């Protein structure tokens, strides 16, 4: 299954919709970071939610969903770009059994919040909205975000299994209602869709089953893929920000500095020659040991 998001609108009602199915990108996240089943399923739902959210925005940049709390899972971070790049990471207490699939956000994160951050690439201000993590699920939290931060009536359905994550969003847009019953009708019809169907059927079949009596306009699909923007240059900048004294002390203690990206697990290795070059303002002459990336 390829990873795509489809946008559609109701021609005679102020309603827009989105449907996303993620397989390859979701599997790539799980391949790079083994997670307990319940957390893996939640990560899939969060990736689908991130794709739905970024598609509602008209900007070039990055959107993040960051879950934090004092529960057994301390952090779940999803980052999705307007170009379709997706990545995810999580941090949890490996000595504590985690909740299984279907658990509430509070069971995973305890007392905490979901921060939804929008970072435009070229222009515009960074924006962040916060949602409390109560006794509900992720779909309800996203609906609450739109209700409280955007003042838009929104319905969200999210699901994942071992192979695929999927989501659907309906949003009532401001303006005159050509069909005043359309919003309630669309929600009731979508509630008849099973989560297995949302994951397994293609978009055309889902929309035909739900809205065959409605007049829809379906737009070209948007592709999504796993993408991590880590690089040796970015890691070098982090080391520089830590200061020469601390880095040289760490190098003396360990003999080599090794770090791994928390998203893609790529390894970066800095030996004494690399650190000397990093902190030297003078051109480095003569043969150099090539940097190592695992």
């Amino acid at each position: 299954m390829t990873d795509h998001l489809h946008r559609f609108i109701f021609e005679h009602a102020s309603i827009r919709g989105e449907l996303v199915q993620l397989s390859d990108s979701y599997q790539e996240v799980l391949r790079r970071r083994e997670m307990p089943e319940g957390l893996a399923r939640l990560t899939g739902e969060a990736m689908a939610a991130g794709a739905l959210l970024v598609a509602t925005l008209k900007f070039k940049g990055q959107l993040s969903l960051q879950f934090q709390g004092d529960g057994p899972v301390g952090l779940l971070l999803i980052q999705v770009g307007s170009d379709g790049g997706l990545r995810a990471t999580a941090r949890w207490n490996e000595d504590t059994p985690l909740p299984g699939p279907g658990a509430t956000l509070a069971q995973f994160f305890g007392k905490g919040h979901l921060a939804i951050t929008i970072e435009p690439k070229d222009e515009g201000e960074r924006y962040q909205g916060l949602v409390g993590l109560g006794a509900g699920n992720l779909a309800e939290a996203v609906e609450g975000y739109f209700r409280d931060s955007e003042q838009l009536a929104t319905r969200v359905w999210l699901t994942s299994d071992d192979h695929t994550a999927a989501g659907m969003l309906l949003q009532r847009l401001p303006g005159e209602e050509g069909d005043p019953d359309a919003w309630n009708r669309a929600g009731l019809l979508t509630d008849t869709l099973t989560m297995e169907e949302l994951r397994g059927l293609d978009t055309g079949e889902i929309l035909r089953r739900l809205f065959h009596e409605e007049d829809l306009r379906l737009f070209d699909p948007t592709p999504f893929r796993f993408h991590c923007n880590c690089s040796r240059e970015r890691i070098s900048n982090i080391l520089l920000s830590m200061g020469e004294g601390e880095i040289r002390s760490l190098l003396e203690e360990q003999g080599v500095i090794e770090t791994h990206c928390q998203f893609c697990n790529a390894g970066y290795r800095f030996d004494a020659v690399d650190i000397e070059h990093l902190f030297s303002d003078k051109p480095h002459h003569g043969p150099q040991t090539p940097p190592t990336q695992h």
Side-chain angles (χ1 to χ4, degrees), residues 31-190:
R31 184 182 73 81
R32 292 170 182 268
R33 184 73 186 277
E34 185 176 350
M35 300 180 185
E37 183 183 14
L39 180 57
R41 299 284 183 88
L42 179 62
T43 299
E45 291 186 11
M47 290 176 66
L52 293 172
L53 282 164
V54 80
T56 67
L57 305 173
K58 295 180 179 180
F59 83 121
K60 291 184 178 180
Q62 179 176 269
L63 181 143
S64 300
L65 278 70
Q66 181 169 322
F67 304 79
Q68 284 186 288
D70 59 5
V73 180
L75 172 72
L76 173 61
L77 176 60
I78 311 295
Q79 293 184 334
V80 52
S82 57
D83 61 355
L86 268 168
R87 63 179 188 169
T89 188
R91 185 173 64 243
W92 66 95
N93 185 344
E94 297 186 4
D95 296 327
T96 302
L98 296 191
T104 67
L105 294 179
Q107 288 175 296
F108 281 105
F109 301 102
K111 185 178 180 181
H113 65 268
L114 163 62
I116 299 176
T117 307
I118 299 167
E119 299 174 277
K121 182 177 181 181
D122 299 320
E123 59 184 23
E125 296 183 358
R126 180 178 183 270
Y127 168 82
Q128 186 175 84
L130 296 178
V131 180
L133 301 180
N137 58 31
L138 177 52
E140 292 168 337
V142 175
E143 291 174 354
Y145 163 77
F146 278 108
R147 181 181 62 249
D148 299 335
S149 299
E150 306 293 333
Q151 286 78 52
L152 290 173
T154 305
R155 293 288 312 278
V156 176
W157 296 261
L158 298 169
T159 180
S160 65
D161 60 12
D162 293 338
H163 306 288
T164 303
M168 189 166 175
L169 175 148
L170 293 177
Q171 198 162 72
R172 187 177 190 176
L173 301 175
E176 293 185 5
E177 288 285 352
D179 181 350
D181 296 324
W183 173 247
N184 289 333
R185 187 168 66 248
L188 290 172
L189 288 170
T190 307

